[in-house]
Amino acid sequence: AKVTQASTRNSIALTWTAVPGATGYRIFKKNGTAWQSLGSATKTTYTVSGLTAGNTYGFAIRAYSVSGQKVTWAATYTELTAATKTLPPSKVTATTTLSSIKLQWPAVKNADGYRIYNKTASGWREVTTLKESQVTYNNLGNGRTFIMAVRPFTVTSVGTVWGDYREIRTATLPAAPKISATDVKNLGAKIRWTKVDGAEGYVVYFKLDNTGYKQLGNYKATDSGVQLSKLTYGAYYTFAVRAYKKVDGGYVLGPYNEIRFRAKMV
């Protein structure tokens, strides 16, 4: 008989094609090297409950017919493996560069492989199927946001069982803005930067020579400059600007460019 499975984390529903002349079917579960009788079914389906998530089990189905007081067992039986759904990866982490994303996750028990999906405007799209618990995508462009998911699967003799998936939202780094300083006079200056594709804002830092950077401010994606005043005469300042994207309540910060100049009176 042709058998199919429908699995949850804790149960497996086996369904099979009817055997001509069969009155019913006996279902067995393999425990080590021994077979345990689970029960009988008069229909061509049987659900096994109380199982463990992410496990593979051996089953056998044997048809029988009843005529009066006589029970006749089929000379052969269908033996198979089936599996419960695996848990999703406990976490998925992303390491990003200007144009690449590396996804990593802890191996999932009993998973034979993983399928990676990318969410687009039209829905989820399959990207890759692999056995390893990490994958890198290159040439993605700067400052692009991606919603991706990792879904484990288990291969059995009666088909593939798909586990639950773990989703992650991440982004490639935005490019470094070009920075310039104009109107350096009257103890002030205008710091300008070029807008960066995909940037959702900019962070500006400053420092005096022989000191560390301090954050001057966080600016909107529409901003392209900041006016400075009350600088210290003769002091050398370095300003740096980097673009960012917002991801899950945090920031993905791109590389920075910097400029150094001396504060002047005129």
Side-chain angles (χ1 to χ4, degrees):
K2 179 177 174 58
V3 184
T4 59
Q5 63 188 334
S7 301
T8 69
R9 291 184 183 180
N10 304 111
S11 68
I12 299 174
L14 299 172
T15 303
W16 55 91
T17 53
V19 175
T23 304
Y25 307 87
R26 180 68 57 86
I27 293 85
F28 300 86
K29 177 174 170 287
K30 198 167 191 177
N31 291 327
T33 59
W35 288 98
Q36 170 194 359
S37 176
L38 297 180
S40 297
T42 56
K43 296 182 179 180
T44 56
T45 185
Y46 189 89
T47 299
V48 186
S49 303
L51 303 177
T52 302
N55 272 4
T56 299
Y57 298 88
F59 295 101
I61 304 170
R62 192 176 187 185
Y64 65 86
S65 64
V66 178
S67 179
Q69 299 298 315
K70 183 180 179 180
V71 177
T72 303
W73 291 93
T76 59
Y77 57 89
T78 299
E79 187 175 342
L80 61 111
T81 60
T84 49
K85 290 176 65 174
T86 63
L87 298 171
S90 56
K91 64 179 179 179
V92 179
T93 58
T95 304
T96 61
T97 70
L98 288 168
S99 60
S100 71
I101 294 176
K102 180 180 181 180
L103 300 179
Q104 293 177 287
W105 56 93
V108 176
K109 177 187 174 184
N110 204 42
D112 292 314
Y114 307 90
R115 181 163 289 177
I116 315 302
Y117 299 85
N118 178 40
K119 195 171 189 178
T120 66
S122 57
W124 289 101
R125 180 176 64 87
E126 176 189 338
V127 181
T128 313
T129 301
L130 68 161
K131 292 184 178 181
E132 299 78 15
S133 55
Q134 65 177 37
V135 62
T136 299
Y137 299 103
N138 297 305
N139 303 316
L140 301 177
N142 309 143
R144 294 186 58 197
T145 300
F146 294 87
I147 301 175
M148 309 190 79
V150 179
R151 190 180 191 188
F153 63 86
T154 305
V155 179
T156 73
S157 66
V158 292
T160 300
V161 178
W162 293 95
D164 294 319
Y165 63 87
R166 181 72 64 188
E167 186 178 312
I168 184 172
R169 187 173 185 267
T170 186
T172 54
L173 305 184
K178 294 180 180 179
I179 184 173
S180 61
T182 60
D183 296 329
V184 182
K185 60 183 179 180
N186 300 325
L187 301 183
K190 176 77 172 182
I191 301 298
R192 298 180 181 275
W193 58 86
T194 57
K195 292 184 178 181
V196 172
D197 289 342
E200 296 176 12
Y202 303 90
V203 183
V204 179
Y205 306 85
F206 77 97
K207 68 176 181 178
L208 291 165
D209 281 5
N210 302 316
T211 66
Y213 271 119
K214 296 181 181 180
Q215 184 172 320
L216 177 67
N218 191 324
Y219 298 88
K220 299 177 183 178
T222 54
D223 293 331
S224 60
V226 57
Q227 180 66 52
L228 307 175
S229 62
K230 298 181 180 180
L231 301 179
T232 301
Y233 175 72
Y236 284 91
Y237 290 85
T238 301
F239 287 83
V241 181
R242 65 197 307 190
Y244 68 80
K245 292 187 70 69
K246 297 177 182 178
V247 177
D248 290 339
Y251 293 89
V252 175
L253 291 163
Y256 63 87
N257 275 319
E258 61 184 12
I259 190 169
R260 180 176 178 267
F261 62 87
R262 186 181 184 185
K264 297 178 180 180
M265 181 65 71
V266 293

